[in-house]
Amino acid sequence: MAARDDILIRVTDLKKHYNKGAIRALDGVTVDINRGDVIVVIGPSGSGKSTFLRSLNLMEEPTGGSIVFDGVDITKKKIPNQQGNLVKLDIDKHRRKMGMVFQHFNLFPHMTVLENMTLAPIQVRGIPAAEAEAKAMALLERVGLADRADAYPIQLSGGQKQRVAIVRALAMEPEVMLFDEPTSALDPEMVGEVLEVMKQLAHEGMTMVVVTHEMGFAREVGNRVLFMADGLLLEEGTPEEIFGSPRHPRLQDFLSKVL
């Protein structure tokens, strides 16, 4: 059991319902995400995986439950300040600590790679342009794309775009990286280059929550795997436990189809 200080995100009884409860995308998910965890979320389509991930930074507003991030319940509209007075929660302040990488890159097409990467650090964090550019170039160097700094997204392959999307999120120096099926829109030959960057991040100790269909990645890189179905967290464990000795019949059935 992790010490309380190690828990970065504590999710308790998280619910997301639509149509007055007729559709239960999340139906009471409880899990702790510790600093340095690489948590891989697997399950069939429509199981609530992406809803869970997008709820962590309130891109999806939960119907019920709580998400305590860095000691603050971000599902509350108002939180106590240092003086004990209730003040409006600044969700953008907390989102800045969470890097998010989507299926479809979300790069600004009218900006170069370097401009895409420096926009938020300069405008949101107030970092001087020269410093933001130097940091962006160092990050691009890390993923082998320094020579593409002045290219526009249309001039990049899918794998290159996704690598830029990852380092763009890293440029904000987040405490946790959230990946929503980051390879599902890529051609098969480009998947490896993106997974390689994610493996490197994991080895460096970045806290990551990854929704993916890449079972090899889950097995090799994750330290914990969550299996979701029908809006429920049905099983969690180490990769060895989940893939080697699955207990829940739904998980056994799922793995029989994907492995």
Side-chain angles (χ1 to χ4, degrees):
M1 189 73 178
R4 188 172 291 274
D5 288 351
D6 290 336
I7 297 169
L8 181 60
I9 307 174
R10 168 160 275 172
V11 179
T12 307
D13 198 26
L14 191 65
K15 296 182 173 75
K16 178 64 179 181
H17 297 170
Y18 299 96
N19 294 356
K20 299 179 179 173
I23 298 170
R24 302 185 172 215
L26 295 174
D27 205 16
V29 173
T30 295
V31 67
D32 287 342
I33 298 165
N34 305 315
R35 293 178 198 279
D37 266 346
V38 178
I39 291 188
V40 183
V41 189
I42 64 171
S45 295
S47 60
K49 306 184 301 291
S50 288
T51 304
F52 167 71
L53 191 80
R54 293 161 70 90
S55 295
L56 294 179
N57 66 358
L58 294 200
M59 288 185 71
E60 290 276 1
E61 201 158 322
T63 308
S66 66
I67 301 166
V68 177
F69 173 52
D70 243 355
V72 176
D73 186 349
I74 60 172
T75 59
K76 296 269 193 283
K77 297 281 189 257
K78 294 193 170 182
I79 57 169
N81 63 9
Q82 288 178 323
Q83 290 74 40
N85 300 318
L86 286 178
V87 294
K88 187 173 183 289
L89 173 78
D90 181 359
I91 187 57
D92 289 333
K93 176 181 157 192
H94 296 283
R95 281 190 181 127
R96 287 200 282 277
K97 301 179 195 173
M98 295 183 174
M100 184 93 185
V101 179
F102 301 91
Q103 293 177 37
H104 293 291
F105 328 126
N106 289 18
L107 299 176
F108 294 111
H110 62 290
M111 292 182 173
T112 65
V113 165
L114 190 62
E115 287 167 344
N116 263 285
M117 288 192 61
T118 56
L119 180 68
I122 293 169
Q123 294 200 353
V124 177
R125 294 192 62 210
I127 292 173
E131 186 185 329
E133 286 182 14
K135 179 157 191 213
M137 288 305 298
L139 285 166
L140 287 170
E141 188 78 48
R142 264 180 66 177
V143 295
L145 291 173
D147 62 332
R148 309 298 281 149
D150 295 323
Y152 287 88
I154 197 169
Q155 298 169 299
L156 304 179
S157 71
Q160 289 173 328
K161 286 178 194 170
Q162 195 59 295
R163 280 186 282 160
V164 170
I166 292 170
V167 289
R168 178 179 64 173
L170 288 176
M172 288 293 282
E173 299 182 347
E175 291 187 39
V176 58
M177 288 283 285
L178 309 175
F179 293 88
D180 190 5
E181 298 191 19
T183 58
S184 65
L186 299 178
D187 291 333
E189 67 269 21
M190 294 173 185
V191 169
E193 65 192 60
V194 173
L195 293 180
E196 203 51 51
V197 173
M198 294 168 66
K199 285 178 195 174
Q200 188 184 338
L201 281 178
H203 292 316
E204 290 167 5
M206 172 62 77
T207 307
M208 297 162 60
V209 186
V210 184
V211 171
T212 187
H213 294 292
E214 299 291 336
M215 297 300 137
F217 177 86
R219 239 179 177 147
E220 182 188 343
V221 185
N223 70 312
R224 287 165 63 207
V225 180
L226 310 183
F227 172 69
M228 294 185 66
D230 304 320
L232 301 168
L233 174 54
L234 294 182
E235 194 163 334
E236 68 171 298
T238 64
E240 294 78 17
E241 290 165 341
I242 293 293
F243 294 103
S245 50
R247 299 188 308 276
H248 199 285
R250 285 295 300 276
L251 175 55
Q252 293 168 0
D253 179 59
F254 174 74
L255 291 176
S256 74
K257 294 184 168 96
V258 299
L259 292 181

